[in-house]
């Protein structure tokens, strides 16, 4: 069973700061893209002629951290292979550089997920002050965090904080609603139904709710920001190590996956404790699967084995939640998938001309996924 190695928050930050690698040229793996809805900018492996060799992959490490309503946050290597700046790229093509960013990559220790244009630019798990930045507008809000609380995540104008006991075990959460001037307008204490992990409490979220990791992997919790209530969702994890759990949240669905398993569990967001769909997850020798959502489709990409040289990874695939074979959207992709609040997803991978760039995954009126170069 593929495993990753959880890192402490400081190690994850150092890992993120050194993710950029020299440009690599490689031949992409072949993949089928039959049935994928196409547009003028749609990328699909099946568009390449069967009699023409595929373009070589012009790989440049490009790590995807977050996505919102108007753009996405990524870090692309410089031309010389050195680490590039954290950059917010708008869907309209505008760009803004962030001086600091505290979030880890999806799947790394300390990652909390995001689902808005606002990101946490102060140190995660720090007490005292929290800094929220909207890179789309360049505005920054400073929030004075109540004594004894430590910031775990930020989603738009909502902060999630943790309280610790005398042996530094997290035992309570708080949902802080923040005004435009940084004033805390409400503080909802949340006593979880199960013990929490010490850190990496939040798996994913958006402007209205977040998915909470418990100490045991058998369940996760859906935290409602308006009420502070938590709804428990069974994970059917393959073992009890909650650090190997992943989750994705869209306007309509919630997906949870325990790394190395052959299937993911998906529930409707309006009935989180209700019936679950079991969706197969293909296993690849390139590494561990990473999951996302788009409409009625489960997305999967693949994280390379820990400690290996960065390079073109496994394919980005979409599997129908109602059952059916997976469809290849990109023949090779980075492991990160970021969810937008509106229900789309963002991934970085190989375009038909071999360039390595970001793509937006949308679902059309015909119910099929399409991939657009950004």
């Amino acid at each position: 069973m593929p495993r990753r190695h959880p890192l402490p928050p400081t190690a994850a930050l150092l890992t993120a700061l050194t993710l950029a690698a020299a440009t690599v040229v490689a031949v992409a793996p072949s993949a089928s893209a039959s049935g994928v809805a196409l547009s003028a900018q749609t990328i699909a492996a099946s568009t390449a002629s069967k009699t023409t060799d595929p373009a070589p992959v012009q790989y440049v490490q490009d790590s995807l951290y977050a996505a919102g309503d108007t753009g996405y946050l990524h870090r692309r290597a410089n031309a010389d292979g050195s680490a590039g700046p954290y950059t917010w790229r708008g869907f309209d093509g505008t760009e803004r550089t962030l001086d600091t960013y505290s979030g880890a990559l999806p799947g790394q220790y300390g990652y909390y997920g995001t689902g808005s244009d606002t990101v946490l630019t102060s140190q995660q798990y720090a007490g005292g002050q929290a800094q929220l930045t909207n890179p789309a507008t360049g505005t920054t809000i400073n929030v004075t965090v109540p004594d004894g609380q430590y910031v775990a995540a930020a989603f738009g104008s909502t902060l999630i904080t943790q309280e610790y006991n005398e042996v530094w075990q997290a035992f309570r959460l708080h949902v802080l609603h923040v005004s435009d001037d940084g004033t805390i307008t409400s503080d909802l204490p949340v006593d979880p139904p199960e013990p929490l992990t010490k850190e990496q409490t939040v798996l994913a979220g958006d402007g209205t709710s977040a998915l909470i990791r418990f100490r045991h992997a058998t369940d996760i919790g859906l935290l409602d920001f308006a009420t502070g209530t938590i709804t428990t969702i069974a994970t059917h994890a393959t073992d009890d190590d909650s650090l190997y759990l992943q989750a994705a949240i869209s306007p309509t669905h919630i997906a949870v996956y325990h790394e190395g398993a052959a299937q993911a569990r998906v529930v409707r967001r309006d009935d989180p404790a209700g019936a679950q769909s079991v969706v197969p997850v293909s296993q690849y020798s390139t590494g561990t699967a990473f999951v996302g959502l788009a409409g009625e489709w489960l997305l999967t990409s693949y994280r390379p084995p820990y400690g290996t040289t960065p390079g073109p990874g496994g394919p980005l695939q979409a599997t129908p939640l109602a059952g059916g074979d997976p469809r290849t959207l990109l023949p090779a992709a980075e492991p990160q998938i970021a969810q937008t609040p509106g229900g789309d997803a963002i991934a970085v991978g190989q375009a038909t001309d071999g360039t390595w760039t970001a793509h937006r995954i949308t679902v059309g009126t015909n119910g099929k996924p399409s991939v657009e170069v950004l």
Side-chain angles (χ1 to χ4, degrees):
M1 181 180 299
R3 285 298 190 219
R4 62 180 170 81
H5 297 258
L7 303 174
T10 53
L13 182 58
L14 291 174
T15 301
L17 291 172
T18 57
L19 278 173
T23 300
V24 177
V25 177
V27 177
S30 61
S32 169
S34 60
V36 179
L38 303 178
S39 67
Q41 294 179 299
T42 294
I43 306 305
S46 61
T47 59
S49 170
K50 294 181 179 180
T51 61
T52 304
D53 291 334
V57 183
Q58 303 165 34
Y59 179 75
V60 179
Q61 177 112 29
D62 194 351
S63 299
L64 180 64
Y65 288 83
D69 290 301
T70 66
Y72 60 97
L73 179 63
H74 70 132
R75 197 179 198 203
R76 187 176 177 88
N78 295 317
D80 62 0
S82 61
Y86 294 106
T87 303
W88 177 269
R89 181 174 175 82
F91 296 136
D92 60 0
T94 59
E95 291 189 338
R96 187 184 300 270
T97 298
L98 274 68
D99 294 330
T100 59
Y101 177 63
S102 67
L105 284 169
Q108 285 186 329
Y109 198 88
Y111 179 73
Y112 58 80
T114 188
S116 75
D117 288 342
T118 300
V119 296
L120 183 68
T121 47
S122 56
Q123 182 60 47
Q124 196 180 4
Y125 303 114
Q129 287 287 122
Q131 185 180 74
L132 301 175
T133 300
N134 184 329
T137 63
T139 57
T140 296
I141 297 173
N142 292 307
V143 183
T144 300
V145 180
D147 290 342
Q149 297 182 30
Y150 297 83
V151 176
F155 299 99
S157 59
T158 301
L159 285 174
I160 299 178
T161 63
Q162 299 177 176
E163 286 187 77
Y164 294 89
N165 59 21
E166 63 278 0
V167 293
W168 284 103
Q169 293 174 331
F171 70 94
R172 179 178 294 134
L173 301 174
H174 290 258
V175 178
L176 307 181
H177 297 287
V178 180
S179 66
D180 291 341
D181 64 0
T183 302
I184 297 174
T185 58
S186 67
D187 180 344
L188 296 177
V190 180
D191 291 311
E194 299 182 28
L196 299 166
T197 57
K198 181 178 179 180
E199 292 173 341
Q200 200 177 354
T201 302
V202 181
L203 283 158
D206 57 18
T208 61
S209 56
L211 297 173
I212 303 299
R213 187 195 310 269
F214 299 129
R215 191 177 303 168
H216 300 287
T218 52
D219 299 295
I220 61 173
L222 178 65
L223 171 61
D224 186 289
F225 293 164
T227 63
T229 58
I230 292 180
T231 302
T232 300
I233 301 171
T235 66
H236 301 274
T238 53
D239 65 43
D240 197 37
D241 192 339
S242 65
L243 288 178
Y244 295 112
L245 285 175
Q246 300 176 21
I249 189 168
S250 76
T252 55
H253 292 87
I254 294 167
V256 58
Y257 175 67
H258 196 273
E259 292 186 10
Q263 58 193 23
R265 299 275 176 161
V266 180
V267 297
R268 289 198 58 83
R269 185 163 175 174
D270 57 9
D271 187 19
Q276 297 187 352
S277 299
V278 178
V279 185
V281 174
S282 301
Q283 302 299 304
Y284 279 80
S285 59
T286 53
T288 301
F290 187 85
V291 300
L293 289 165
E296 299 287 330
W297 299 79
L298 180 77
L299 305 176
T300 51
S301 57
Y302 295 87
R303 183 185 303 113
Y306 177 77
T308 59
T309 302
L316 176 70
Q317 294 187 319
T319 303
L321 302 183
D325 294 331
R327 302 178 178 188
T328 299
L329 304 182
L330 297 174
E334 297 278 8
Q336 307 94 26
I337 301 172
Q339 305 291 147
T340 70
D344 298 340
I346 310 295
V348 175
Q350 178 194 353
T352 51
D353 62 357
T355 56
W356 198 257
T357 187
H359 303 74
R360 177 157 52 182
I361 300 97
T362 60
V363 176
T365 55
N366 60 1
K368 296 180 181 180
S370 62
V371 186
E372 177 189 3
V373 172
L374 293 175

